[in-house]
Amino acid sequence: MKTALSTTPGRTGQPVHPPPSPPLAAPRQVRRVSLIDRAALRLGLALITWGRRPLELESRERRARHAEQYLARLERERRARRWQGLNLPPR
């Protein structure tokens, strides 16, 4: 260990932190949310949910096509990893 420590009391180079403030004598009063505020929050969430809905439902054929495309992509990625393992030099 190459660090030399001073044996004399004095300044250490670290800032002196103020002492922590004393805790509050009485706990704060808990404020309850009013019925109107809760209703307004639910209404706002319902409006956001309604606004983000899809405008038209996706057909069964389209959902099936998405699933097929997903499986085909997984197969392509598997083949690419296999090809890389066989043809590229190891890392």
Side-chain angles (χ1 to χ4, degrees):
M1 190 161 127
K2 297 182 179 182
T3 304
L5 300 175
S6 173
T7 57
T8 59
R11 190 170 174 168
T12 60
Q14 297 293 328
V16 177
H17 296 286
S21 60
L24 298 173
R28 291 186 178 182
Q29 192 72 339
V30 177
R31 287 182 42 190
R32 298 282 179 195
V33 179
S34 70
L35 181 63
I36 295 173
D37 289 334
R38 283 186 281 175
L41 178 63
R42 286 186 182 252
L43 176 64
L45 287 174
L47 288 173
I48 290 171
T49 305
W50 177 259
R52 291 184 178 176
R53 75 191 189 289
L55 296 179
E56 57 187 41
L57 293 177
E58 199 172 28
S59 67
R60 278 189 189 169
E61 294 83 17
R62 186 169 178 174
R63 277 184 279 158
R65 205 172 331 120
H66 280 297
E68 290 173 3
Q69 289 172 350
Y70 174 72
L71 293 174
R73 182 172 51 95
L74 290 178
E75 181 64 24
R76 280 194 311 272
E77 290 173 357
R78 187 187 65 77
R79 287 182 186 169
R81 280 194 305 272
R82 185 173 186 275
W83 182 88
Q84 289 172 351
L86 293 173
N87 295 322
L88 295 178
R91 291 187 179 197

